[in-house]
Amino acid sequence: MSAGFELEVRSRDAKGKGASRRLRRAGRIPAVLYGGGVKPSTITLDYHALARQMSQEAFLTSILNIILDGNSQAAVVKEVQRHPYKPEVLHLDFQRILEDEKITLNVPIHFLGEEVAIGVTEREGVLAHLVTEVEVACLPKDLPEFLELDVSGLDVNQVLLLSDITPPEGVELVPLSQDQDRPVVGINPARQEEEEEE
């Protein structure tokens, strides 16, 4: 679990599309903070402060310290609404967390040994990432920033599955608990070889 992300937020009363547009023009992002047995709060964040923090991958998989009206609350990002074609965030959903309650969150997968994978170095295959993140369930204290999967032993026409990922203690891969094991990464034959055969 990563620490160090802190967001100063303000309460907002005005709701609706018009109010949200006015906020964005003023350099603020509308958001909502819910959960933890407390009434949802409509809030706003400074766009530039948010953009700086969101530029770090760990932001979306970390426990955030949200400061509202002088009170600090632990939360995670549950949803980010982005502009369809501009690199802009339009709205955020934050979920308050409690230390003794499990949370579910999508966590990125980091692939180790890509540059030395047998199928790439010896057979000139092409590595294909089929899944780049996975939903996990755990207590907040056990939340990992990312999961790792070693692909160095992977050969052409081989795949690794979600079940090949070893999560840290206390972390459960949600798809596996629902009997949904699926391919995560594989190595395909080089396209050039196929063209030469043709």
Side-chain angles (χ1 to χ4, degrees):
M1 180 180 76
S2 176
F5 291 104
E6 188 170 278
L7 290 171
E8 292 262 2
V9 303
R10 296 182 200 160
S11 296
R12 66 180 166 106
D13 298 320
K15 298 174 186 172
K17 289 185 178 180
S20 293
R21 276 196 294 270
R22 285 191 293 277
L23 279 171
R24 290 186 200 104
R25 280 199 296 270
R28 307 287 299 176
I29 299 296
V32 65
L33 175 64
Y34 63 88
V38 182
K39 182 181 172 184
S41 304
T42 50
I43 56 176
T44 70
L45 305 91
D46 178 74
Y47 179 82
H48 297 293
L50 176 67
R52 277 194 303 275
Q53 304 229 33
M54 285 190 74
S55 66
Q56 301 176 59
E57 180 190 53
F59 178 82
L60 295 175
T61 55
S62 294
I63 308 299
L64 311 176
N65 186 26
I66 294 187
I67 301 170
L68 172 62
D69 300 330
N71 297 316
S72 176
Q73 303 171 50
V76 292
V77 177
K78 283 303 279 187
E79 187 175 347
V80 179
Q81 182 184 343
R82 299 179 189 273
H83 193 280
Y85 56 88
K86 294 179 186 175
E88 294 175 8
V89 173
L90 300 178
H91 189 275
L92 285 159
D93 285 4
F94 296 100
Q95 180 185 347
R96 293 184 190 94
I97 59 169
L98 302 173
E99 286 183 16
D100 57 349
E101 279 187 13
K102 279 192 172 185
I103 56 174
T104 59
L105 208 63
N106 284 337
V107 171
I109 300 169
H110 287 185
F111 299 94
L112 307 177
E114 289 182 313
E115 63 286 341
V116 296
I118 295 169
V120 174
T121 57
E122 296 181 16
R123 317 241 195 287
E124 297 182 358
V126 179
L127 199 71
H129 297 135
L130 309 173
V131 175
T132 57
E133 62 180 24
V134 62
E135 188 177 22
V136 301
C138 61
L139 291 173
K141 68 179 180 63
D142 297 324
L143 181 64
E145 282 183 31
F146 55 84
L147 297 171
E148 294 181 335
L149 183 58
D150 187 351
V151 300
S152 58
L154 206 57
D155 205 343
V156 170
N157 294 322
Q158 289 183 338
V159 297
L160 292 175
L161 307 173
L162 280 177
S163 56
D164 293 311
I165 297 173
T166 304
E169 190 173 339
V171 178
E172 173 188 6
L173 302 186
V174 173
L176 294 184
S177 67
Q178 300 167 348
D179 293 325
Q180 295 177 0
D181 199 4
R182 58 182 185 266
V184 174
V185 62
I187 297 185
N188 299 322
R191 188 175 289 259
Q192 186 178 356
E193 289 178 7
E194 295 170 8
E195 290 172 356
E196 285 174 0
E197 287 174 10
E198 289 173 7

